[in-house]
Amino acid sequence: NGHSFKFSLIDDYLDCGVKNTLIDSNKKILSRLDDNNIISPAATVVNSELKFCTISSGCMVENSILENVILMNNVKLKNKKLKNTILS
């Protein structure tokens, strides 16, 4: 399918079925990447600061500051400041 996957070895059990643990796990995993973010090629980020963020396909982030945020498909954000949040 042309998809590529990145992986990282972890020493912890990360129960991602609980919101707070999912957010903590997101930050822990992304902190091991060079740019600390995963942004879909099908997402658009304009004039924004991202740290420990996962941005899914179809998302639009504009003029925003996001820290440890997970955006599911097609979320649109403009002029937002968010931390430790999951939006779908």
Side-chain angles (χ1 to χ4, degrees), residues 10-35:
I10 54 174
D11 296 323
D12 303 311
Y13 172 73
L14 307 173
D15 179 4
C16 293
V18 179
K19 178 194 174 260
N20 290 341
T21 309
L22 177 59
I23 290 292
D24 291 342
S25 300
N26 183 67
K27 184 174 183 177
K28 188 174 286 191
I29 292 168
L30 293 180
S31 69
R32 296 173 182 219
L33 300 178
D34 290 336
D35 68 0

Side-chain angles (χ1 to χ4, degrees), residues 22-78:
L22 177 59
I23 290 292
D24 291 342
S25 300
N26 183 67
K27 184 174 183 177
K28 188 174 286 191
I29 292 168
L30 293 180
S31 69
R32 296 173 182 219
L33 300 178
D34 290 336
D35 68 0
N36 296 330
N37 298 298
I38 295 178
I39 301 172
S40 167
T44 304
V45 178
V46 177
N47 194 36
S48 297
E49 296 176 33
L50 306 180
K51 187 171 183 180
F52 308 119
C53 293
T54 301
I55 311 297
S56 300
S57 179
C59 290
M60 171 64 167
V61 179
E62 185 177 351
N63 300 324
S64 297
I65 299 171
L66 308 179
E67 182 177 344
N68 200 23
V69 172
I70 300 172
L71 299 182
M72 306 307 283
N73 289 346
N74 302 311
V75 173
K76 311 292 188 227
L77 294 178
K78 187 172 183 178

Side-chain angles (χ1 to χ4, degrees), residues 1-7 38-41:
N1 278 350
H3 298 285
S4 63
F5 290 90
K6 296 178 183 178
F7 71 92
I38 295 178
I39 301 172
S40 167

